[in-house]
Amino acid sequence: MAQSVTLDALDRRLIHALQIDGRASFSRIATVLAVPERTVARRYHRLRSAMVVRVVGLVDSRRIGMLDWFVRIDCTPDAADTLTAALAQRDDTSWIAPLAGGTRLTCMVRTPGPGSDDGRLLFDHLLRAPGIRDIEAGCVLRPVAGVGGWTGRTSALDASEQAALLSPAPESPDGPEAHAELSGWGEAEARLAGELALDGRADIAQLAAVTGWSASTVRRRVAGLRDAGVLHFEVDVNPAHFGFPVEALLWLEVVPAALGEVAQALSQHSAVAFAAVTTGRASVFAMVQCRDTGALYDYLADELAALPGIGRVESALVQRRAKRAGPLLLPTMGERAPRFPPRPAAYRTGHMR
């Protein structure tokens, strides 16, 4: 469980730097922040050991032929905790949240693409699990906001500092062979992604041991996957540490003619941490971060109400996050958690967001 930590200005600058490049060296970050390298390393390890901040490697599902789903589960009150614990331990789930009220929870689930039965098996098992009354799944068609990080934690560095971190990283290989390994996704890539999902800053030697590749191959492959948009890095941190403890989930019914305008507007709203166009009754799903419930009201009544084509809005407050973008680092409690079919090894990858 994350300790109670207050983020100061340097912490926030460090977090913003890591959001720009999660694998940037401490020396490079220290140069941009104009502080000693030892200070940057000490700050990061303090936040990491307190489980306040973690860099996680995430894979774009669409680029490896897989699908992401936002799933709403209606269950009996006595089943909510055990179901949450079971889902949290899976490597194909993320963003698990029991909702305020006690009988519903939401999560993101990754499944193989169309034509595979593996995803259907998971949903079939969910429907047969004790205490589950109904599930509703919307397939992510396109993320439209928050993919590069929520603006609430990406406003601490000025434009010149951001540009310095966006320049090619020293880890990127040089020469004509630099992008020679972009094609293919197999067991070794899945192991690489799994290790980076646990720790996006894992060193090259550790990644080489996991994949069986040489250190130079690891460097080329990580750089190639990043250049191709398959792999990116996210800072996993609770928005409450930035003063935004109220998290709400929104399901928006939007007429097709207004989808583009609504998506563009959401990408500019500072309260929106993430939004995507999905299948289902609600064509847009959004995660919103607010300072308090009054701020949530203001967002719904002012910014969201001003958008055209929204016929209906359903909202729910998140009670807590049982799991965020990255895998759990500690085992969950839950002795009678329902069992679901395991994932094929080739699909065990970090999630998007």
Side-chain angles (χ1 to χ4, degrees):
M1 184 176 181
Q3 299 177 19
S4 176
V5 173
T6 300
L7 301 179
D8 63 18
L10 180 56
D11 291 331
R12 295 179 184 226
R13 285 167 56 78
L14 171 58
I15 290 170
H16 189 175
L18 290 170
Q19 180 65 56
I20 293 172
D21 185 356
R23 290 188 63 80
S25 67
F26 289 138
S27 61
R28 188 176 184 212
I29 294 174
T31 299
V32 172
L33 301 188
V35 296
E37 179 180 349
R38 181 180 300 179
T39 299
V40 171
R42 184 173 64 248
R43 288 293 184 111
Y44 173 76
H45 290 304
R46 176 180 68 89
L47 296 172
R48 180 72 164 78
S49 62
M51 298 183 68
V52 171
V53 169
R54 177 164 58 130
V55 176
V56 295
L58 306 178
V59 171
D60 187 328
S61 302
R62 299 167 297 168
R63 296 181 184 271
I64 60 171
M66 301 187 73
L67 300 174
D68 286 311
W69 304 78
F70 283 109
V71 182
R72 284 192 282 180
I73 303 173
D74 183 21
C75 56
T76 58
D78 59 316
D81 287 343
T82 53
L83 177 61
T84 299
L87 289 172
Q89 294 177 61
R90 294 180 60 89
D91 50 28
D92 55 352
T93 64
S94 60
W95 300 104
I96 300 173
L99 302 180
T103 62
R104 289 195 303 163
L105 62 93
T106 66
C107 65
M108 177 181 275
V109 173
R110 169 171 290 166
T111 71
S116 171
D117 287 334
D118 290 331
R120 189 183 71 185
L121 286 174
L122 172 60
F123 291 128
D124 288 347
H125 277 73
L126 272 172
L127 283 169
R128 292 196 296 267
I132 293 184
R133 296 185 289 220
D134 188 31
I135 65 171
E136 182 177 349
C139 182
V140 175
L141 302 180
R142 180 176 298 176
V144 296
V147 176
W150 170 52
T151 57
R153 63 168 181 262
T154 56
S155 56
L157 302 181
D158 63 31
S160 63
E161 291 168 331
Q162 294 179 51
L165 285 164
L166 285 169
S167 61
E171 184 178 284
S172 299
D174 297 320
E177 74 282 5
H179 305 292
E181 300 185 35
L182 292 180
S183 62
W185 181 269
E187 288 283 348
E189 284 79 8
R191 290 195 297 271
L192 172 70
E195 195 68 17
L196 290 171
L198 290 169
D199 181 5
R201 295 185 63 81
D203 62 36
I204 294 297
Q206 182 179 345
L207 297 176
V210 167
T211 59
W213 294 332
S214 67
S216 60
T217 299
V218 169
R219 289 190 180 92
R220 288 197 302 272
R221 194 60 173 142
V222 169
L225 290 170
R226 294 181 76 174
D227 287 347
V230 175
L231 176 67
H232 67 281
F233 293 90
E234 174 83 10
V235 179
D236 207 350
V237 56
N238 190 334
H241 292 298
F242 290 84
F244 295 84
V246 174
E247 181 175 8
L249 305 183
L250 307 180
W251 291 268
L252 314 179
E253 294 184 6
V254 182
V255 298
L259 267 179
E261 185 174 352
V262 169
Q264 175 62 26
L266 292 177
S267 71
Q268 303 301 314
H269 289 180
S270 60
V272 177
F274 178 79
V277 176
T278 68
T279 62
R281 288 181 301 170
S283 50
V284 175
F285 170 81
M287 300 178 184
V288 176
Q289 302 294 158
C290 297
R291 293 192 180 278
D292 52 37
T293 54
L296 175 58
Y297 170 83
D298 291 338
Y299 175 72
L300 294 175
D302 297 331
E303 289 186 87
L304 201 63
L307 300 182
I310 299 178
R312 181 174 178 270
V313 177
E314 182 179 353
S315 60
L317 290 178
V318 170
Q319 179 178 310
R320 63 184 175 87
R321 280 288 180 189
K323 185 179 184 181
R324 290 186 177 273
L328 292 186
L329 296 181
L330 297 174
T332 58
M333 306 300 290
E335 299 176 356
R336 299 188 306 278
R339 297 178 63 85
F340 301 117
R343 295 285 291 158
Y347 297 134
R348 293 172 189 169
T349 61
H351 275 267
M352 60 161 278
R353 161 74 178 299

